[in-house]
Structure formats: structure tokens, C-alpha cells
Amino acid sequence: MTVIGEVNLVTHHQARWRFLYRGHALPGGTSILTVTDGFQWWHFQCRSEGDNMYCINGSEWSRFVQTRMNAMITLYSKQDGEDFHRIRVRS
């Protein structure tokens, strides 16, 4: 699995997570990312901000962050034949 980004979640991430990504696993414009940790599923809003910058935000993202404050998360690209991204959460 290819890593899209990693972050240690802190309070300001409830509003959004802005990150640099130079790969091709994320679409341009605005989209909804379907994400799973293998047990739960989420739908996060994702927006390309140009110059390889992306932003994940929205109400479902805010709830996700609020219950995982100070956790380290890793977002992975889709695997062949899958229509979702995987996320790993480490407390």
C-alpha cells in the first residue's frame, strides 16, 4: 500500500487536515473518499488545493478526529480493484 500522508491528530485538525501529496491516488477537484480501518467506514471530503496540496475536512472528518485526538494516522492509496482507501490509527 502506498502512503498518501501521515499526521499526529491535534485540535486544529478537527477543522481540516492539509497536506502535500505528489502521487496520483487522489482526484483533482472535490471528492468524497471512502475510508476504512478494516472495521469501520467513513466518508471524508477531500479537495485539491493546487500545487500538490490537498485538504480533508467535513463533519465526518471532524467527528473522526475528535474521538482520536493525539493518535497517529496513516492514509493509504486504493489497492487495485478496491474502491476505498485504508487508514491506520495508532494511539
Side-chain angles (χ1 to χ4, degrees):
M1 290 185 284
T2 303
V3 173
I4 291 174
E6 291 186 301
V7 66
N8 186 354
L9 296 175
V10 293
T11 303
H12 74 267
H13 289 123
Q14 279 186 263
R16 70 180 184 164
W17 172 31
R18 190 168 186 254
F19 59 96
L20 177 67
Y21 177 64
R22 290 192 171 96
H24 302 287
L26 296 175
T30 301
S31 61
I32 301 294
L33 297 183
T34 301
V35 178
T36 185
D37 64 358
F39 302 100
Q40 293 181 278
W41 294 83
W42 301 275
H43 301 282
F44 301 146
Q45 295 175 20
C46 181
R47 180 179 72 244
S48 171
E49 297 184 333
D51 294 329
N52 298 314
M53 293 302 296
Y54 287 85
C55 175
I56 293 180
N57 60 2
S59 58
E60 198 158 352
W61 170 254
S62 294
R63 285 190 299 274
F64 176 86
V65 173
Q66 187 175 20
T67 60
R68 290 161 183 83
M69 202 61 63
N70 299 313
M72 176 65 78
I73 66 163
T74 305
L75 179 64
Y76 297 96
S77 63
K78 296 178 184 177
Q79 295 290 350
D80 289 340
E82 295 179 338
D83 61 352
F84 57 88
H85 294 269
R86 294 191 184 273
I87 197 164
R88 181 176 175 207
V89 180
R90 297 175 306 281
S91 297

